[in-house]
Amino acid sequence: SMGGQIMPPVMGAVAFIMAETLNIPYADVVKAAIIPALLYFGACFWQVHLEAGKAGLQGMAKAELPNPWEAVRKHWPLVLPLAVLVYLLFAGYTPIFAGTMGLALTIVLILGTPLAALIGPLAFRVVFWLALGLAAASFMRFGVNVLSLVIAALVIACLAFKGGRETLRICVDSLAAGAKNALPVGIACAIVGIVIGTLTLTGIASTFIGWIISIGENNLFLSLVLTMLTCLVLGMGIPTIPNYIITSSLAGPALL
């Protein structure tokens, strides 16, 4: 999960905040993260390989390995929202819009699955998914309201039979779990505002910035190293998002 935050094409939340803060396209953040992400996963792979060799561990037999293509064949529709999300991000849409549309398309797939299971012949199921896909994709031309109507129609249809109601219950539980998981991030971001305000009012921020500027006048590399160490120390106690906000607010102006 740590590497997933810096691994394109869909990175962690801090990458979207970075794009919004710096007022640059998300694609530029992705380009800057490709090499660090590859280095991170390469280092992890190499360390695991060395430790496994030292401990004499052996990998699973090839016959026992799960077949990834079989999983893709069975669940390939779940890749579609991810593809749409990546396309919207690189097409210049805001992360909020892209994420909302990706989530909405995921809901369409989840709610459409129990309905498709009621359709007998394969040809009819294909027609159903094609029609549903065209209706969902029409938001690119006619706006978000069309996608909202599609989801509302699927919800009403799922209420009509037992399997659909169970799917709706799972969706509600998932939304509740997602809201609970988002609470710590929201609280952390709120506390960051208090921290930044305290640092500004007490003058610690200006003192810190002046210290880095005085060092950077003679050695920019040393200023970057100090900023890196500050980021690492903060990262030991707070999540990535508030860490970036605090570090960029304090060290960014000094380095610029």
Side-chain angles (χ1 to χ4, degrees):
S1 62
M2 296 298 295
Q5 296 190 59
I6 61 173
M7 186 64 187
V10 181
M11 302 165 63
V14 70
F16 303 108
I17 295 177
M18 188 180 299
E20 292 289 338
T21 303
L22 300 178
N23 195 24
I24 61 175
Y26 174 75
D28 292 346
V29 180
V30 169
K31 293 176 183 177
I34 290 176
I35 294 179
L38 294 177
L39 290 175
Y40 174 85
F41 282 103
C44 290
F45 174 81
W46 187 244
Q47 289 296 324
V48 170
H49 176 72
L50 293 178
E51 290 295 330
K54 184 189 299 184
L57 300 177
Q58 299 293 329
M60 296 175 60
K62 188 174 182 179
E64 299 176 358
L65 292 175
N67 188 352
W69 298 112
E70 183 67 18
V72 172
R73 187 184 67 82
K74 291 181 179 179
H75 306 289
W76 65 267
L78 297 178
V79 181
L80 297 178
L82 177 61
V84 173
L85 173 63
V86 173
Y87 168 76
L88 292 177
L89 288 174
F90 283 90
Y93 291 91
T94 63
I96 295 178
F97 178 81
T100 303
M101 291 301 100
L103 180 61
L105 292 177
T106 303
I107 295 175
V108 169
L109 284 175
I110 293 174
L111 297 180
T113 300
L115 296 176
L118 298 177
I119 303 175
L122 176 61
F124 290 165
R125 288 202 299 271
V126 172
V127 172
F128 169 78
W129 283 116
L130 288 176
L132 188 59
L134 291 175
S138 62
F139 79 90
M140 294 292 294
R141 182 177 180 86
F142 301 105
V144 181
N145 292 333
V146 175
L147 190 56
S148 301
L149 292 175
V150 172
I151 294 176
L154 290 174
V155 170
I156 295 173
C158 287
L159 288 173
F161 62 100
K162 182 179 179 181
R165 289 192 293 271
E166 292 177 352
T167 301
L168 291 175
R169 191 177 301 109
I170 294 174
C171 290
V172 172
D173 293 339
S174 300
L175 291 174
K180 292 178 181 178
N181 293 332
L183 282 177
V185 177
I187 294 174
C189 290
I191 295 176
V192 164
I194 300 175
V195 173
I196 294 176
T198 303
L199 293 175
T200 303
L201 292 175
T202 57
I204 297 177
S206 58
T207 303
F208 176 77
I209 292 173
W211 182 50
I212 294 182
I213 290 176
S214 63
I215 296 175
E217 290 177 352
N218 300 320
N219 194 332
L220 178 60
F221 178 76
L222 184 57
S223 295
L224 293 173
V225 171
L226 291 174
T227 303
M228 177 193 70
L229 293 176
T230 303
C231 185
L232 290 175
V233 172
L234 289 175
M236 294 178 183
I238 59 177
T240 309
I241 295 175
N243 184 9
Y244 169 75
I245 296 175
I246 293 176
T247 305
S248 61
S249 300
L250 296 180
L255 295 175
L256 295 176

